[in-house]
């Protein structure tokens, strides 16, 4: 396997490293002075929204006029030693109130108010408000084949200091006659996590990556997530067509640098990629790959090399990985510190 990146992936690599300004020192645990995210002194939260959040906070379950539920989290690095969590939730089209766009484009469109409030654990089971805000979500969907019963996924992300949090998110109609709240607990790793080990993030299965204008405030996105100036469309269901490549990216936080005094410090990572079947046996293995950065982006050709022995004799054949459920395992070695770690993601070939 050659360690060549697709054009989109190569572009995203440059954009992520350059535009997000995540230094190799900060990522490696050689921490610069942390640039704390300063939350607003007081979030502009309507009384009825604040009351709705408090009603269900202890049980993490509240009013759901617009049914939605969180199902996944993704942790990414951010500028200044902070962390960028992405929260994923799902909801039916009909529940979100999509209607034909007034622009006449043929698209379906809905507008929702989005309120968010982060809490930190306090004494005796209490919750201390940390950061809150409001955003307007104008969501669009293709009109062709629109299905009110179809469930799509959405994302919400922002940079945060490390720590333990509970997110409360409220979706409301513009007139606030319908309101829903959902809760999600998350722990964002801090510098202490990287003192004696590396910490790889979960691999993202990439369908496309594009440059976009960065969000000016935390926003909800449909069918993708943004991160700085990058928009990522991911296969959230983990489905790959027979014959297609499996493109992934992830980060290795805490990776050491070869020369901390260098103008552009480099990492020295080795990754062994392996595809395992449901029985845990290797279906595909590749030669170890070397990376000079903690951002790992790799297209993996899902082609098996098979040793065939039959009445025609012995031969080697290459065949696409057949339909089925698999797991991609990435075994990572930091050649600078000698530490090792694994990360994996499940997917299905159809």
């Amino acid at each position: 396997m050659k360690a060549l990146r697709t054009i989109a992936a190569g572009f995203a690599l440059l954009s992520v490293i350059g535009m997000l300004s995540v230094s190799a020192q900060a990522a490696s645990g050689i921490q610069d002075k942390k640039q704390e995210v300063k939350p607003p002194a007081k979030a502009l939260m309507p009384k009825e929204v604040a009351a709705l959040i408090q009603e269900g906070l202890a049980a993490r379950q509240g009013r759901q006029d617009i049914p939605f539920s969180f199902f996944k989290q993704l942790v990414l690095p951010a500028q200044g030693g902070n962390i960028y969590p992405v929260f994923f939730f799902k909801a039916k089209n009909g529940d979100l109130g999509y209607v034909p766009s007034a622009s006449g484009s043929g698209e379906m469109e809905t507008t929702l108010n989005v309120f968010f409030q982060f809490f930190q654990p306090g004494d005796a089971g209490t919750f201390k408000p940390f950061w809150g805000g409001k955003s307007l979500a104008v969501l669009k969907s293709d009109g062709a084949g629109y299905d009110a019963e179809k469930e799509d996924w959405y994302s919400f992300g922002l940079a945060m200091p490390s720590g333990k949090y509970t997110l409360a998110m409220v979706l409301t109609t513009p007139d606030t006659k319908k309101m829903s709240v959902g809760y999600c607990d998350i722990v964002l790793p801090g510098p202490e996590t990287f003192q004696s080990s590396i910490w790889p993030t979960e691999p993202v299965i990439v369908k496309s990556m594009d440059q976009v204008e960065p969000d000016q405030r935390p926003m909800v996105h449909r069918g993708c997530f943004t991160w700085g100036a990058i928009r990522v469309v991911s296969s959230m269901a983990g489905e790959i067509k027979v014959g297609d490549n499996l493109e992934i990216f992830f980060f290795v936080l805490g990776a050491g640098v070869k020369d901390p005094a260098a103008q552009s410090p480099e990492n020295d990572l080795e990754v062994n990629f392996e595809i395992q079947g449901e029985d845990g046996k290797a279906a595909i293995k590749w030669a170890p790959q070397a990376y000079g950065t903690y951002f790992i982006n790799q297209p993996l050709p899902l082609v098996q090399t098979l040793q065939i022995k039959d009445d025609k004799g012995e031969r080697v054949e290459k065949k696409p990985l057949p339909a089925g459920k698999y797991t991609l395992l990435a075994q990572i070695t930091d050649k600078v510190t000698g530490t090792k770690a694994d990360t994996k993601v499940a997917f299905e070939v159809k």
Side-chain angles (χ1 to χ4, degrees):
M1 177 184 64
K2 297 181 179 180
L4 297 176
R5 297 180 174 87
T6 63
I7 294 176
F11 173 78
L13 170 62
L14 296 176
S15 299
V16 168
I17 300 301
M19 302 184 76
L20 290 184
S21 302
V22 183
S23 70
Q25 292 98 327
S28 68
I30 304 174
Q31 299 293 324
D32 298 324
K33 184 177 180 181
K34 191 167 185 176
Q35 300 174 13
E36 292 290 351
V37 175
K38 294 183 178 180
K42 186 177 182 180
L44 299 176
M45 197 76 66
K47 291 181 179 179
E48 62 271 28
V49 172
L52 177 65
I53 289 174
Q54 288 295 331
E55 287 173 4
L57 181 56
R60 310 293 201 279
Q61 187 173 359
R63 178 176 164 187
Q64 286 264 301
D65 298 340
I66 307 170
F68 76 97
S69 59
F70 291 104
F71 69 95
K72 184 180 176 66
Q73 306 165 0
L74 181 65
V75 174
L76 303 170
Q79 187 176 5
N82 292 294
I83 300 294
Y84 190 95
V86 184
F87 302 88
F88 298 92
F89 65 92
K90 54 188 176 182
K92 288 184 180 180
N93 290 330
D95 290 333
L96 294 182
Y98 281 95
V99 296
S101 174
S103 66
S105 63
E107 292 180 306
M108 302 294 287
E109 184 176 294
T110 188
T111 300
L112 297 169
N113 289 325
V114 181
F115 298 92
F116 63 93
Q117 177 71 64
F118 284 90
F119 296 89
Q120 291 181 301
D123 297 331
T126 60
F127 295 90
K128 179 182 176 181
F130 173 74
W131 191 358
K134 175 188 176 182
S135 181
L136 184 68
V138 180
L139 306 171
K140 298 182 179 181
S141 177
D142 291 335
Y146 172 81
D147 182 358
E149 293 300 311
K150 182 182 178 183
E151 193 172 64
D152 283 321
W153 63 269
Y154 300 80
S155 69
F156 172 82
L158 73 172
M160 298 278 291
S162 58
K164 184 177 182 180
Y165 301 95
T166 295
L167 166 64
M169 177 183 286
V170 175
L171 305 182
T172 82
T173 53
D175 59 9
T176 68
K177 289 183 178 180
K178 289 185 177 182
M179 297 196 299
S180 291
V181 61
Y183 302 91
C184 188
D185 297 324
I186 192 168
V187 177
L188 304 181
E192 67 282 355
T193 307
F194 316 130
Q195 294 302 312
S196 60
S197 64
I198 51 177
W199 198 91
T201 63
E202 179 183 344
V204 174
I205 299 177
V206 178
K207 295 176 70 174
S208 67
M209 284 192 286
D210 302 289
Q211 183 180 11
V212 295
E213 288 294 324
D215 293 335
Q216 298 304 306
R217 61 177 60 87
M219 301 287 291
V220 168
H221 295 275
R222 175 184 175 274
C224 66
F225 67 91
T226 60
W227 176 43
I230 300 298
R231 178 180 61 201
V232 180
V233 178
S234 173
S235 176
M236 198 57 60
E239 295 178 351
I240 308 295
K241 293 182 180 178
V242 173
D244 284 357
N245 287 349
L246 173 66
E247 182 178 348
I248 53 94
F249 81 75
F250 61 90
F251 283 87
V252 182
L253 304 182
V257 293
K258 291 191 288 188
D259 182 5
Q263 184 174 359
S264 299
E266 293 184 355
N267 305 115
D268 188 2
L269 297 169
E270 182 179 274
V271 183
N272 283 277
F273 292 105
E274 179 179 308
I275 302 293
Q276 296 179 344
E278 289 188 278
D279 57 3
K281 295 181 179 179
I284 305 177
K285 285 186 176 182
W286 292 274
Q289 299 294 302
Y291 299 90
T293 172
Y294 60 97
F295 179 83
I296 309 298
N297 177 214
Q298 186 68 58
L300 299 165
L302 299 182
V303 178
Q304 290 180 300
T305 301
L306 303 175
Q307 297 282 345
I308 307 297
K309 183 178 181 180
D310 53 22
D311 55 0
K312 297 180 181 179
E314 296 186 17
R315 61 192 183 280
V316 176
E317 290 187 359
K318 293 183 180 293
K319 293 184 178 181
L321 189 67
K325 295 182 179 180
Y326 300 91
T327 297
L328 169 68
L329 174 65
Q331 298 172 310
I332 306 142
T333 300
D334 184 346
K335 304 293 283 293
V336 175
T337 65
T339 55
K340 299 182 179 183
D342 297 344
T343 187
K344 60 184 178 180
V345 63
F347 67 96
E348 184 174 4
V349 175
K350 290 190 170 183

